[in-house]
Amino acid sequence: MTSPKLAIQTESGRMYSRQIGTAAIVPSITTVIGMDKLDLSGWAGYMAAKALSEDQRLAQSLGDQRQLRSLVRDAANAAEAYRDSAAARGDRVHNYAEQRALQALDAEHYLPAALAELEANNELGFARHFDKWWQDYAVEPIAAEATVWNESVGYAGTIDLVAKIGGRTCLIDYKTKTTDREGFVKRPDDKVIMQLAAACKAEEQVVDAEQGTWKAWEYGTDTMLLAVALGESGTRTFLAPPAALPDYWSKFYALRRNWEASFKIAQSRASLAEITPPTQ
């Protein structure tokens, strides 16, 4: 996961501050959405079994309990290792996309370094297909990695790209995805609609993170919300359906209240208190 300047990782998830060096006071959009947890135990079990079955050391370890236990421990960590590897890849791809936008905005950028990092990890396919998407959609960037704030509800987040496409202002979120068995880039989870709806409801956009200056958010109306799946084999672009946005926003609002209750419980360290029988 990329790290915007005002984002701080805490025990309560990623949170945002108003200025660099000050305390984090609101949760990130993704932290709030994370309250809607998925049961990944089945996937984790599959990853563990898959890792063990594909381990070349398995056959020679069947008669050695100590070595077999070592393989089982390694396999148990397969899901976590896969998640961490995917997150690192996502960071590299997002960084390339950000640098590409900064170059187009005639701002300071590190595009050659971002490209070199992808090349070092055999991931140039992501850059190639991202560049084709940029050209095909005639992207006119307005802002890259725009950090936004909603004071009324109490959250913040960072939008991958604000741009003009086909004459319309778009809020765009990139999702790095793998390729399915048919050779198609996998579609993003529909939770991204909630993420985009929350971004659209922002009230302010940061101007200077060092100084802590903000301006009114200008892109909350008449805006297209797009999720772009970026893969090594291609890209796919999805529109968040406008009719569904109120419901996704309502769910986000409920999750924000859930996060606040959990945060307050954690801060108070409230727990069961054992009592003794009443005196006779």
Side-chain angles (χ1 to χ4, degrees):
M1 182 181 288
T2 54
S3 298
K5 292 180 179 179
L6 295 174
I8 301 170
Q9 195 64 35
T10 74
E11 293 181 355
S12 300
R14 175 184 266 192
M15 297 181 67
Y16 276 78
S17 63
R18 291 288 289 180
Q19 181 179 355
I20 290 178
T22 60
I25 55 176
V26 298
S28 72
I29 292 173
T30 51
T31 292
V32 172
I33 294 174
M35 298 301 295
D36 188 21
K37 298 184 184 299
L38 294 175
D39 181 7
L40 297 177
S41 57
W43 174 75
Y46 167 77
M47 292 297 293
K50 181 174 182 290
L52 186 60
S53 67
E54 294 176 350
D55 196 314
Q56 296 180 356
R57 300 170 296 171
L58 179 60
Q60 65 187 33
S61 302
L62 293 179
D64 186 334
Q65 288 299 314
R66 179 186 295 180
Q67 191 171 2
L68 188 58
R69 283 195 296 271
S70 177
L71 263 63
V72 169
R73 283 195 298 271
D74 290 345
N77 295 325
E80 184 176 350
Y82 180 88
R83 180 201 64 197
D84 292 346
S85 175
R89 181 179 64 243
D91 284 350
R92 291 189 291 270
V93 175
H94 274 72
N95 183 44
Y96 178 82
E98 178 187 2
Q99 301 308 316
R100 179 70 176 80
L102 291 174
Q103 181 194 52
L105 289 165
D106 291 326
E108 182 180 10
H109 65 86
Y110 303 96
L111 187 61
L115 184 63
E117 191 172 16
L118 289 176
E119 184 176 17
N121 288 276
N122 298 314
E123 295 165 344
L124 283 178
F126 288 100
R128 182 171 64 254
H129 290 293
F130 176 81
D131 287 343
K132 186 176 186 304
W133 171 81
W134 188 277
Q135 181 178 4
D136 289 347
Y137 281 79
V139 179
E140 302 174 41
I142 297 171
E145 292 291 309
T147 293
V148 297
W149 193 283
N150 182 305
E151 182 66 23
S152 300
V153 179
Y155 67 87
T158 299
I159 302 167
D160 290 336
L161 183 68
V162 183
K164 287 276 190 182
I165 296 178
R168 291 286 302 277
T169 301
C170 302
L171 304 187
I172 299 167
D173 189 85
Y174 304 127
K175 297 299 182 187
T176 306
K177 307 299 291 184
T178 55
T179 301
D180 64 21
R181 294 177 180 178
E182 284 72 42
F184 294 102
V185 176
K186 294 180 180 179
R187 61 183 293 127
D189 189 286
D190 281 339
K191 282 186 178 182
V192 72
I193 303 174
M194 194 174 0
Q195 186 176 348
L196 288 164
C200 192
K201 288 282 189 177
E203 297 170 344
E204 296 176 278
Q205 177 183 350
V206 72
V207 176
D208 189 322
E210 295 282 352
Q211 299 297 319
T213 55
W214 297 73
K215 66 178 182 180
W217 176 237
E218 303 174 14
Y219 309 110
T221 58
D222 192 31
T223 307
M224 292 178 64
L225 308 182
L226 304 179
V228 181
L230 304 177
E232 286 190 287
S233 58
T235 64
R236 298 174 69 186
T237 304
F238 299 85
L239 172 68
L245 295 180
D247 291 331
Y248 275 97
W249 168 249
S250 294
K251 184 173 183 179
F252 178 85
Y253 186 85
L255 290 172
R256 172 60 179 82
R257 294 180 64 186
N258 189 358
W259 178 89
E260 184 173 358
S262 298
F263 178 76
K264 289 180 177 178
I265 290 170
Q267 292 295 302
S268 66
R269 301 186 184 279
S271 62
L272 290 170
E274 186 175 3
I275 62 173
T276 60
T279 56
Q280 300 297 324

